[in-house]
Amino acid sequence: MSSAIFEEYLGKVIAKVKSKQAHSMIKKELSNHLEELSHSFQKRGLSIEDANKKAIQEMGDPSTVGKNMNQLHKPRMDWLLIALFILLAGIGFLPLMSDVVSPNSFFIKKQIVWLALAILALIGFLFFDYRKLKNLWMYFYAAALILFFISFFVGTRLIGGGIWLSFGGIMINGPAICLYLFLIAWAGIFTKVTDFKGWKKLVGLLILFWLPVIFYIILSQFVFSIIYFLCVLVMYIFYYRRNQFAIKVALGNLLVGVIFISTMILKFFSSYLSDNLISVKAVLSQAGWFGKGLHNNLTIPEAHTDFVFPFLVYSFGWVFGIFLCLLLLVFILRISLNAFKTKDLFGRLLTIGGAVLFTVPAFWNILMGLGIVPIMVVPLPFISYGGSMLLVYAALLGLILNVYRRKDIVESTLVN
């Protein structure tokens, strides 16, 4: 039990630490260290009072210790991720400045508005305590299901573009927002997974996993079903990475998922671009290293959204295309590495799942632009024109930055 002299010392240390959220963690950490020092001195024959004083002397001046603790335990900002976000969002304006959309000014102004809202969403999800979301997983999951039903019954079906919801003339992609809600829900579920004991609860957990996949396929959002499926599966594998049985279960689900989703794509897939699509490979073969310039005679469908990558390569060449791929790769790797810098399980799961939500659409869009994977409606993160996905990606990035920002002021909740 901490003595009064320890409490006084710790109070002086804590007074120098600006982050109030780190106070309890620092106090617990230093208190344990002081107790250990005191016990070691008591074993050498000192009295409890003398041992406590000696322990404090060993720790050093409380003001100096407090300043050091303040430097170690303070909110951090990942400026590299923010810089990459700004750069990628800026690249997204290039197709709007070309001849692929008309009138240019209308699309540019509209995208500026969406980008401003996206920045507000990023800031909004950056500065609150993300850990408060952990116990709300049921509400996020339920909200996603409700959004599914609303989209199905009152949503507007666009040819090849899935189902959209209209709010005062503003079109919102409900299934895209569901991805974000499911990410938070499943991160919360995995932190509470020990509560799911017994075969009935495990079956219920399995239903919770597969239900969104089925709903996404019913809504013809095949790419979203793949993104969701891989996102949850990767979080599952991370949580149970040392459990061989769990890994076998994950591989079994992966096999079933690949077969099921592939069958649905082959059976029901019909692209609104396929009839008019010129050979993407032919377009890319004409690009050269430095491209044909922003204003060219290329007529490719959806060059500002789904086929923004081949358009940018054709306009600015393979040098720019490789540069863009490297930017996205650095962005994704940075997020993935940040996931292992936090000691909070919920935060780590959010970041790992978030990395998947960026990786799958980025890879799919680029591979689709190269003519390798089936053509579907999947935007390139931060670059493709549109508001809904830009808001989702910005909110997701804000949450990931939030986890990184608090990595040094949260106590460890990792399960060994």
Side-chain angles (χ1 to χ4, degrees), residues 22-40:
H23 285 185
S24 61
M25 180 177 65
I26 294 173
K27 189 173 181 179
K28 182 179 179 181
E29 177 185 337
L30 295 182
S31 180
N32 290 336
H33 192 43
L34 284 169
E35 292 287 350
E36 290 175 2
L37 285 173
S38 179
H39 286 309
S40 67

Side-chain angles (χ1 to χ4, degrees), residues 130-131 133-135 137 179-194 196 205 227-228 230-241 335-358 396 399-404 407 410 413-415:
Y130 71 89
R131 291 171 295 175
L133 304 177
K134 180 169 61 176
N135 297 323
W137 69 265
L179 284 174
Y180 185 71
L181 299 176
F182 282 129
L183 166 69
I184 299 174
W186 277 102
I189 288 172
F190 284 123
T191 60
K192 305 282 186 181
V193 77
T194 52
F196 291 87
L205 199 62
I227 296 172
Y228 163 82
L230 292 177
C231 174
V232 179
L233 201 63
V234 168
M235 286 194 289
Y236 175 89
I237 291 172
F238 166 77
Y239 187 83
Y240 289 107
R241 63 192 182 282
I335 292 174
S336 302
L337 292 174
N338 284 353
F340 296 94
K341 293 180 180 180
T342 180
K343 297 167 287 186
D344 177 50
L345 175 61
F346 181 63
R348 186 170 290 191
L349 288 169
L350 285 175
T351 309
I352 289 172
V356 177
L357 291 188
F358 280 116
L396 178 58
L399 200 57
I400 290 170
L401 289 170
N402 190 331
V403 175
Y404 181 85
K407 67 184 180 66
V410 297
T413 57
L414 294 174
V415 180

Side-chain angles (χ1 to χ4, degrees), residues 18 28 34 76 80 83 97 103 115 219 238 287 354 399:
K18 294 180 180 179
K28 182 179 179 181
L34 284 169
R76 310 282 179 178
L80 177 59
M97 298 167 62
L115 182 58
L219 295 177
F238 166 77
L399 200 57

Side-chain angles (χ1 to χ4, degrees), residues 1-8 35 48 52 56:
M1 199 172 216
S2 297
S3 66
I5 192 173
F6 283 175
E7 290 295 332
E8 182 182 356
E35 292 287 350
I48 295 177
N52 289 345
I56 288 177

Side-chain angles (χ1 to χ4, degrees), residues 138-393:
M138 288 182 290
Y139 298 101
F140 282 101
Y141 193 96
L145 292 183
I146 292 171
L147 196 53
F148 266 132
F149 285 112
I150 294 174
S151 299
F152 181 79
F153 289 107
V154 301
T156 302
R157 285 186 177 271
L158 301 181
I159 300 176
I163 298 179
W164 294 69
L165 297 172
S166 178
F167 296 97
I170 300 175
M171 302 297 285
I172 300 294
N173 191 333
I177 297 174
C178 289
L179 284 174
Y180 185 71
L181 299 176
F182 282 129
L183 166 69
I184 299 174
W186 277 102
I189 288 172
F190 284 123
T191 60
K192 305 282 186 181
V193 77
T194 52
D195 296 339
F196 291 87
K197 294 181 179 179
W199 70 268
K200 291 183 179 179
K201 289 185 177 180
L202 289 176
V203 170
L205 199 62
L206 198 63
I207 293 173
L208 289 179
F209 172 64
W210 280 102
L211 202 58
V213 175
I214 297 171
F215 282 159
Y216 273 124
I217 290 175
I218 291 174
L219 295 177
S220 300
Q221 300 284 277
F222 299 113
V223 169
F224 286 167
S225 68
I226 295 171
I227 296 172
Y228 163 82
F229 179 83
L230 292 177
C231 174
V232 179
L233 201 63
V234 168
M235 286 194 289
Y236 175 89
I237 291 172
F238 166 77
Y239 187 83
Y240 289 107
R241 63 192 182 282
R242 297 178 183 176
N243 188 314
Q244 292 185 355
F245 175 74
I247 296 300
K248 291 178 181 179
V249 172
L251 292 175
N253 274 280
L254 178 61
L255 179 61
V256 173
V258 169
I259 295 173
F260 181 64
I261 295 174
S262 299
T263 302
M264 293 299 101
I265 291 175
L266 293 174
K267 186 174 182 180
F268 299 107
F269 175 72
S270 60
S271 173
Y272 71 111
L273 298 172
S274 58
D275 294 335
N276 302 314
L277 183 65
I278 61 176
S279 174
V280 176
K281 293 183 179 179
V283 169
L284 296 176
S285 65
Q286 299 170 19
W289 284 109
F290 301 101
K292 306 296 182 181
L294 186 59
H295 300 281
N296 51 65
N297 58 357
L298 178 64
T299 54
I300 183 171
E302 305 301 326
H304 60 307
T305 54
D306 302 310
F307 282 87
V308 67
F309 180 74
F311 171 80
L312 290 172
V313 171
Y314 186 83
S315 299
F316 300 103
W318 279 105
V319 170
F320 185 85
I322 294 171
F323 171 71
L324 181 57
C325 289
L326 288 176
L327 279 182
L328 290 167
L329 182 61
V330 170
F331 182 83
I332 292 168
L333 286 177
R334 182 72 175 186
I335 292 174
S336 302
L337 292 174
N338 284 353
F340 296 94
K341 293 180 180 180
T342 180
K343 297 167 287 186
D344 177 50
L345 175 61
F346 181 63
R348 186 170 290 191
L349 288 169
L350 285 175
T351 309
I352 289 172
V356 177
L357 291 188
F358 280 116
T359 302
V360 177
F363 272 71
W364 194 284
N365 183 279
I366 291 173
L367 293 176
M368 184 177 73
L370 295 174
I372 297 175
V373 297
I375 300 168
M376 292 193 227
V377 179
V378 52
L380 193 59
F382 299 124
I383 297 175
S384 293
Y385 172 81
S388 295
M389 288 306 298
L390 181 59
L391 285 175
V392 170
Y393 288 136

Side-chain angles (χ1 to χ4, degrees), residues 116-126 390-392 394-396 398-399:
L117 293 173
I119 293 173
L120 290 176
L122 188 153
I123 295 173
F125 281 95
L126 174 60
L390 181 59
L391 285 175
V392 170
L396 178 58
L399 200 57

